[in-house]
Amino acid sequence: MRFERLRLSNFKCYADTDVDLSSGVTVIHGLNGSGKSSLLEACFFALYGARALDQTLDELVSIGAEEASVELWFAHDGGRYRIERELKRRGDSVQTTTCLLEGEDETIEGARDVRSTVTDLLRMDASAFVNCAYVQQGEVNKLINASPSQRQDMIDDLLQLGKLEAYRERASDARVGIGRVRDDKRGALKQLDEQIEQRDAEGYHEQLNALKGDLAEVHEQIERYEQNRDRAETTRDDAQEILDEYEQRREELAEIEREIETLTKEIREAERERSDLGDQLTETRERREERRDAAAELLAETDIDGSPDDIDGETLSSRLDELREERETLDDRINDQRLEIQRYDSQAETARERADELASETADRRETAAELETELESTREEVAETREQIETLDERIAETEAVFDDAPVGPDDTERHRESAAEELTACREEVTAAETRLQSARETLSETEELLDAGKCPECGQSVDGAPHVETVDEDREAVARLETKLEQLRDRRDEREAELDRAESLADAAAELDRLREERDQLETLVEERERGVDETAERIEELREEATELETQAETRRETANEADEQAAAARERMGELNREIATLKEQIDRVESLAEIRDDTESLTDELETLRERRQSLADQNELRNERLTEKRERRDELESQVDEAAIENAKSRKREAEEYLDEVEPQLDELETRRGELQEQIGRLKTSIEELESLRERRDELAETVAQLDELYAETERLQTTYTDLRAELRRQNLQKLERMVNETFELVYGNDAYSHIELDGEYELTVYQKDGDPLDPEQLSGGERAVFNLSLRCAIYRLLAEGIDGTAPLPPLILDEPTVFLDSGHVSRLVDLIESMTELGVAQILVVSHDDELVTAADELLTVEKDSTTNRSTVEGRDAVDASALSAFN
């Protein structure tokens, strides 16, 4: 992993800063407190957030700023990424408003998701990052003071050995879980064995064989009884057939008797009906004769020639059509007269209504003319009053204009004059205030001087008055006070004059405003007078027009009334003609009624003739039907005699006896069959239950076999997880042993490179992660017994050795973050600082892609491939960063 670029805005002491970070060694150099470490904290904050820094968000935003942002570009494992975090102050708190991680394939948003993704990318969280690559300022004793178990956890987590422990714990949990399941399955297997043994003791198969034997016997009995029942049913059915045939003959004989009786009754009724039809024939002939007589009387009253029998329907229809056409002609004439009457009535009504409207309009015109004449007189009076107001305004305007006769400006310049007077007064008041301030200061100085003189002290140097060189300045102070008092009095007089001038200017401005108002009011009144005078002439003309219109409307109303009277006369004449037409149509209606009655009588006569023919036909039909009925009656009587001769009473009694015996046997056998069927059902049900029990027993055996197989598999799985747990434990111990050997070797190499004397022979890191330093004479020392500088060297050696171990990895290289050293020389003397330079160069040679060193020590500059100089402005308290290449860095070091 390599940091490529860092951009800050209002982050701590940085306003707007953009820094490019290259490969190799970058030294961030500057005075203490200039903000060097804040650059590294910004990188760390970008990766893991504020919680990784042990700081609040409020502490990260520059004082006085409302928002801050950090952007970090970095390359890792072949990919390029950018992290952005934005902070904003909202009320009393600061909140993260933007947090995103942009990669080549996707963008992650949200502080939690970004932190999780960074942890997955680097394969280390913030704590592991600090323990591995970020040697923070002042953390000299962190790994030294840690307990062996804490040191073991730190180093194991960095080397990913903690995962093996997690895997071992998972295997242990799996083994325990499998053991529980296996025990449960064993208990279930034991229960199944007990159930199978208990059911085997029941003897299900023996019981089943016995029940099948009983069922066969019941089947034989049922079959025998059913055969006897079938024979009894056959006997019963044969007897019933004989009885049915006998019953059928009896029913047929009864039916023939009923038919004979019915035919006899029908013949009698037909004869009665023929007699009734003869009476109806006589009555219908009489009615037809009556209708013919009525037709003769009506025909005599009409203009139709001939007798009733000679006149046909076509003649009557033709005459009716002629009369109806005449009536329609009269109806049309009556409708025309009715429409003519309505037209004359409508004309008369319309003319009268229009006459009334014209009369109303005439009254309205005359009333409007009277109202306008009244308004005209009022308007003339108002014009006279307005002219008097104009004369009054002319007098007031002349009086106001006289105010400006002796004024320094005219009415149009009063506003500028007032503004000028106000500005002069303001300037004068400011001079008075300044003079009062100077006078007050001079008086205070004089008072202090006099107090010092009274105390026998020099006002300038505080020495004794005797022989003091500045005693005579008190007289000068008194003269200065007097001059300032005179000057202040003059300024106050001039201020009063300016105030009077401003009052005069404001008075003139008010007069000018009043003059403008009076002139505007006079112009408005003159315009009003002109408009009202024009309105007087227009109103007089309008009154004359209204009176002329009223006279014209009155003439039109009289004409309309005459038109209405003429229309009334014409309507009366039309009503007389309509009366004559109504009388004609009444006579015509009587004629139509006679002809229609004659046609109706003729239709009735024809209908009665048809009815007579129908009655004759019905009477003959009844005679024909009775003849047929007599023939059928003879046949029925012969069939009755034949059926009575075929009945055998002895055979009938024998059939009844055999049927009765068969039914009695069937009544007896049915309960026995029902009982046997019930017994058979019970046996079949018992057999079914036994078969179910046998199937359940077989199912239990199958379940038992499956469960036994499952228990065997669980035994194997339990043993496998136990072996896996042991394997993880052994593997972690072996890897820890290998890593401890490498780490111990690398710590000694690094310690030897950095530490510059021969006091110590080597460092030992045992299997329990205990650290021991051995002196040349072989005596062991606890690291806490080392001096501050020696502990710093020891800590750097251990941290760099851990970084080297992670960089080399167990099975090859792994991408690590930059090695970050924050003020590593704090506890080192100059000799060890030079050895630190060698250590940095050796880490570069070992393939560390990027090393960031923060230091105020000039000697570390020689190790830099790139130098970043940080300076803080003492006025703004803001820091800036300036980059230099390796040549400039070497020149700076040589110069120093």
Side-chain angles (χ1 to χ4, degrees):
M1 177 185 181
R2 181 172 66 82
F3 295 157
E4 294 183 334
R5 181 183 174 191
L6 177 66
R7 183 161 64 194
L8 307 178
S9 175
N10 294 327
F11 183 84
K12 287 196 168 185
C13 57
Y14 290 94
D16 290 302
T17 301
D18 198 337
V19 180
D20 290 326
L21 301 170
S22 59
S23 301
V25 180
T26 298
V27 175
I28 303 173
H29 184 268
L31 298 175
N32 287 333
S34 60
K36 304 183 297 298
S37 297
S38 295
L39 291 175
L40 300 181
E41 290 176 350
C43 296
F44 196 42
F45 167 69
L47 291 173
Y48 296 105
R51 284 188 292 181
L53 294 175
D54 254 350
Q55 298 181 39
T56 64
L57 294 176
D58 186 62
E59 295 175 293
L60 302 181
V61 181
S62 300
I63 297 174
E66 294 298 319
E67 58 185 16
S69 65
V70 175
E71 294 178 78
L72 176 66
W73 287 261
F74 65 91
H76 177 70
D77 203 14
R80 306 181 75 84
Y81 304 89
R82 182 183 78 91
I83 294 181
E84 179 182 2
R85 292 180 186 264
E86 288 185 355
L87 307 176
K88 286 189 179 180
R89 192 182 303 278
R90 292 178 177 173
D92 297 334
S93 64
V94 175
Q95 299 178 1
T96 300
T97 57
T98 300
C99 181
L100 58 87
L101 169 63
E102 292 180 351
E104 296 176 349
D105 299 327
E106 63 176 339
T107 298
I108 308 298
E109 295 186 10
R112 180 177 299 175
D113 292 340
V114 168
R115 183 168 58 251
S116 176
T117 303
V118 169
T119 300
D120 293 340
L121 276 175
L122 303 185
R123 291 186 292 180
M124 59 179 67
D125 57 12
S127 176
F129 188 94
V130 170
N131 293 329
C132 169
Y134 188 7
V135 183
Q136 292 179 306
Q137 183 175 341
E139 289 189 355
V140 176
N141 299 323
K142 183 173 182 180
L143 282 173
I144 297 174
N145 293 337
S147 67
S149 61
Q150 292 173 337
R151 193 179 300 117
Q152 173 182 318
D153 291 340
M154 291 180 194
I155 297 175
D156 281 357
D157 287 343
L158 291 173
L159 296 174
Q160 307 296 313
L161 296 182
K163 291 184 178 179
L164 292 176
E165 176 61 18
Y167 295 156
R168 187 197 65 77
E169 291 177 355
R170 290 180 189 172
S172 176
D173 293 341
R175 180 182 61 78
V176 173
I178 292 169
R180 292 198 194 99
V181 174
R182 183 188 61 182
D183 294 341
D184 292 341
K185 297 297 182 182
R186 283 177 174 171
L189 181 61
K190 183 178 180 181
Q191 290 178 359
L192 285 176
D193 287 336
E194 292 175 353
Q195 292 177 17
I196 291 170
E197 183 179 356
Q198 181 181 359
R199 295 198 179 198
D200 282 339
E202 295 290 336
Y204 291 147
H205 291 285
E206 291 79 1
Q207 294 180 31
L208 180 62
N209 292 331
L211 289 173
K212 285 182 177 179
D214 294 342
L215 183 61
E217 292 178 1
V218 172
H219 273 306
E220 290 177 1
Q221 292 177 3
I222 290 174
E223 186 176 355
R224 186 172 61 255
Y225 279 118
E226 285 178 346
Q227 290 174 356
N228 294 333
R229 182 187 62 185
D230 293 340
R231 285 195 294 270
E233 288 176 350
T234 301
T235 301
R236 181 196 62 188
D237 294 340
D238 293 341
Q240 184 65 44
E241 186 177 351
I242 295 170
L243 293 173
D244 289 342
E245 185 179 352
Y246 168 71
E247 189 64 30
Q248 184 177 0
R249 286 194 183 98
R250 287 178 59 83
E251 289 176 359
E252 186 180 355
L253 186 61
E255 179 64 25
I256 289 172
E257 290 289 350
R258 285 194 297 273
E259 289 179 356
I260 290 171
E261 184 179 357
T262 300
L263 286 171
T264 304
K265 184 178 178 182
E266 288 177 353
I267 290 169
R268 287 196 300 269
E269 289 177 353
E271 288 299 326
R272 281 196 300 271
E273 187 176 353
R274 287 183 76 247
S275 178
D276 292 339
L277 287 173
D279 296 339
Q280 291 180 18
L281 279 170
T282 302
E283 182 182 354
T284 303
R285 288 191 192 98
E286 292 174 355
R287 287 170 55 200
R288 184 177 64 176
E289 292 302 323
E290 290 176 359
R291 299 306 290 170
R292 283 178 175 174
D293 294 341
E297 293 176 1
L298 287 173
L299 186 61
E301 296 177 358
T302 64
D303 55 357
I304 300 174
D305 297 332
S307 65
D309 294 334
D310 296 334
I311 298 173
D312 56 9
E314 184 177 353
T315 301
L316 293 175
S317 176
S318 175
R319 181 56 181 161
L320 276 175
D321 292 339
E322 291 174 359
L323 292 174
R324 285 168 179 163
E325 286 179 1
E326 291 179 12
R327 180 174 176 175
E328 289 177 0
T329 302
L330 288 174
D331 285 339
D332 292 340
R333 291 176 62 188
I334 288 173
N335 287 333
D336 292 340
Q337 287 301 122
R338 186 180 292 109
L339 292 174
E340 187 174 356
I341 292 170
Q342 290 176 354
R343 184 170 65 255
Y344 287 139
D345 288 343
S346 176
Q347 289 177 358
E349 185 178 359
T350 301
R352 286 192 181 89
E353 289 177 353
R354 181 56 182 158
D356 294 339
E357 290 175 358
L358 291 171
S360 177
E361 290 180 9
T362 300
D364 290 342
R365 296 289 194 284
R366 286 173 178 163
E367 184 178 356
T368 303
E371 292 174 354
L372 289 175
E373 192 167 9
T374 302
E375 291 178 2
L376 180 61
E377 186 62 28
S378 174
T379 302
R380 285 172 177 159
E381 293 176 357
E382 290 175 355
V383 168
E385 292 175 357
T386 305
R387 291 195 177 281
E388 292 177 358
Q389 292 177 5
I390 291 172
E391 291 176 359
T392 302
L393 287 173
D394 287 337
E395 294 174 359
R396 292 177 62 187
I397 289 170
E399 293 174 358
T400 306
E401 288 176 343
V403 173
F404 292 93
D405 292 342
D406 56 349
V409 294
D412 297 336
D413 298 326
T414 55
E415 191 61 33
R416 287 195 300 275
H417 178 59
R418 181 174 62 181
E419 291 175 357
S420 175
E423 291 175 357
E424 291 179 359
L425 176 59
T426 300
C428 187
R429 284 172 175 169
E430 290 175 354
E431 290 180 4
V432 168
T433 301
E436 288 174 346
T437 301
R438 290 195 296 273
L439 177 59
Q440 180 65 24
S441 178
R443 284 173 175 170
E444 291 175 355
T445 302
L446 178 60
S447 175
E448 292 174 359
T449 302
E450 290 176 344
E451 288 176 359
L452 287 171
L453 288 175
D454 292 341
K457 300 294 182 101
C458 174
E460 291 290 331
C461 59
Q463 300 175 2
S464 175
V465 175
D466 296 336
H470 303 293
V471 175
E472 57 275 8
T473 59
V474 68
D475 296 330
E476 296 176 1
D477 292 340
R478 291 191 181 103
E479 292 175 2
V481 168
R483 285 195 304 272
L484 288 172
E485 288 175 345
T486 302
K487 178 65 175 176
L488 179 59
E489 187 65 28
Q490 294 173 353
L491 288 173
R492 285 174 175 167
D493 292 341
R494 195 168 75 187
R495 180 189 62 189
D496 295 340
E497 293 174 1
R498 294 291 183 269
E499 289 176 349
E501 290 178 2
L502 179 59
D503 292 341
R504 174 62 175 161
E506 290 177 347
S507 176
L508 289 174
D510 293 341
E514 178 65 13
L515 183 61
D516 291 341
R517 188 189 65 77
L518 292 172
R519 288 172 176 170
E520 183 178 357
E521 186 177 355
R522 183 182 182 282
D523 293 340
Q524 291 176 352
L525 290 175
E526 287 182 346
T527 302
L528 181 61
V529 167
E530 292 175 359
E531 291 176 353
R532 285 179 175 174
E533 288 178 343
R534 284 196 302 270
V536 166
D537 297 337
E538 293 174 356
T539 302
E541 294 175 358
R542 179 59 180 158
I543 291 170
E544 187 62 28
E545 290 176 359
L546 288 171
R547 285 173 177 164
E548 293 176 357
E549 289 175 1
T551 302
E552 179 64 23
L553 291 171
E554 191 174 20
T555 302
Q556 292 179 10
E558 186 61 30
T559 302
R560 294 288 181 175
R561 291 189 184 94
E562 294 175 356
T563 302
N565 293 331
E566 293 176 358
D568 287 339
E569 294 175 357
Q570 292 174 347
R575 285 188 176 90
E576 291 178 1
R577 291 192 296 273
M578 188 173 177
E580 294 175 358
L581 292 172
N582 284 330
R583 287 188 291 275
E584 290 179 10
I585 203 169
T587 302
L588 188 59
K589 185 176 182 300
E590 292 176 357
Q591 294 179 7
I592 291 172
D593 291 340
R594 291 191 190 100
V595 174
E596 286 177 347
S597 298
L598 188 59
E600 182 179 351
I601 290 172
R602 183 185 174 282
D603 292 338
D604 290 344
T605 302
E606 290 180 353
S607 177
L608 289 170
T609 301
D610 294 338
E611 186 177 349
L612 284 172
E613 186 63 28
T614 301
L615 290 172
R616 289 190 192 100
E617 290 176 355
R618 286 180 60 194
R619 196 164 182 272
Q620 183 61 40
S621 174
L622 288 172
D624 295 340
Q625 290 175 8
N626 271 352
E627 186 177 354
L628 293 173
R629 288 188 185 103
N630 285 322
E631 293 176 358
R632 290 176 60 198
L633 181 60
T634 301
E635 292 175 356
K636 294 295 181 184
R637 285 171 178 166
E638 291 175 354
R639 177 60 179 165
R640 179 188 63 185
D641 295 339
E642 181 182 356
L643 289 172
E644 287 177 349
S645 66
Q646 292 178 356
V647 175
D648 185 359
E649 294 295 337
I652 298 301
E653 289 300 326
N654 185 27
K656 289 180 178 180
S657 176
R658 286 188 288 113
K659 178 186 176 186
R660 184 168 54 254
E661 291 173 357
E663 288 176 347
E664 289 174 357
Y665 178 79
L666 289 173
D667 290 339
E668 292 174 0
V669 80
E670 286 299 334
Q672 294 177 1
L673 281 173
D674 292 340
E675 185 178 349
L676 289 172
E677 287 290 348
T678 302
R679 175 60 179 160
R680 181 168 63 179
E682 292 174 353
L683 290 172
Q684 288 175 342
E685 184 178 353
Q686 292 175 13
I687 290 171
R689 286 199 295 269
L690 280 173
K691 287 182 176 179
T692 301
S693 298
I694 292 171
E695 290 174 357
E696 290 176 353
L697 180 59
E698 293 301 322
S699 175
L700 286 174
R701 287 195 175 100
E702 291 176 0
R703 285 175 54 196
R704 190 264 176 205
D705 295 340
E706 292 174 358
L707 194 56
E709 185 178 354
T710 301
V711 170
Q713 292 174 352
L714 288 171
D715 287 337
E716 294 178 3
L717 190 57
Y718 183 86
E720 181 64 26
T721 53
E722 197 169 27
R723 288 193 298 273
L724 185 61
Q725 181 180 354
T726 304
T727 300
Y728 282 136
T729 303
D730 296 342
L731 179 59
R732 184 185 183 197
E734 177 59 23
L735 291 175
R736 182 183 294 163
R737 185 188 63 78
Q738 295 177 13
N739 288 327
L740 284 175
Q741 290 176 356
K742 290 183 181 180
L743 184 59
E744 185 180 43
R745 175 176 55 81
M746 292 178 180
V747 167
N748 281 288
E749 290 175 357
T750 308
F751 187 73
E752 183 178 353
L753 179 64
V754 177
Y755 196 65
N757 61 43
D758 297 328
Y760 305 105
S761 63
H762 66 283
I763 299 173
E764 183 182 89
L765 180 62
D766 64 14
E768 301 301 325
Y769 286 81
E770 286 283 1
L771 285 167
T772 306
V773 181
Y774 286 91
Q775 302 181 78
K776 288 294 184 178
D777 57 7
D779 292 335
L781 287 177
D782 189 281
E784 293 184 358
Q785 294 177 293
L786 301 176
S787 65
E790 288 173 336
R791 283 201 304 275
V793 172
F794 185 86
N795 180 61
L796 286 171
S797 300
L798 182 57
R799 296 295 289 275
C800 290
I802 292 173
Y803 189 91
R804 283 180 58 193
L805 180 61
L806 291 175
E808 292 182 6
I810 299 173
D811 295 321
T813 59
L816 287 177
L819 178 60
I820 303 173
L821 304 176
D822 190 359
E823 293 290 359
T825 64
V826 172
F827 298 101
L828 301 182
D829 54 28
S830 59
H832 287 105
V833 171
S834 62
R835 293 297 186 91
L836 180 59
V837 173
D838 296 338
L839 174 61
I840 293 171
E841 291 176 350
S842 69
M843 295 296 287
T844 304
E845 292 171 359
L846 288 171
V848 179
Q850 189 178 41
I851 301 176
L852 303 177
V853 182
V854 171
S855 179
H856 64 280
D857 199 311
D858 295 336
E859 190 171 351
L860 286 181
V861 174
T862 58
D865 296 315
E866 183 179 12
L867 177 66
L868 298 178
T869 303
V870 180
E871 295 180 353
K872 178 177 284 188
D873 188 325
S874 59
T875 303
T876 63
N877 206 31
R878 293 297 178 96
S879 299
T880 58
V881 181
E882 181 181 358
R884 298 180 183 177
D885 56 21
V887 176
D888 295 335
S890 299
L892 176 64
S893 178
F895 177 78
N896 291 336

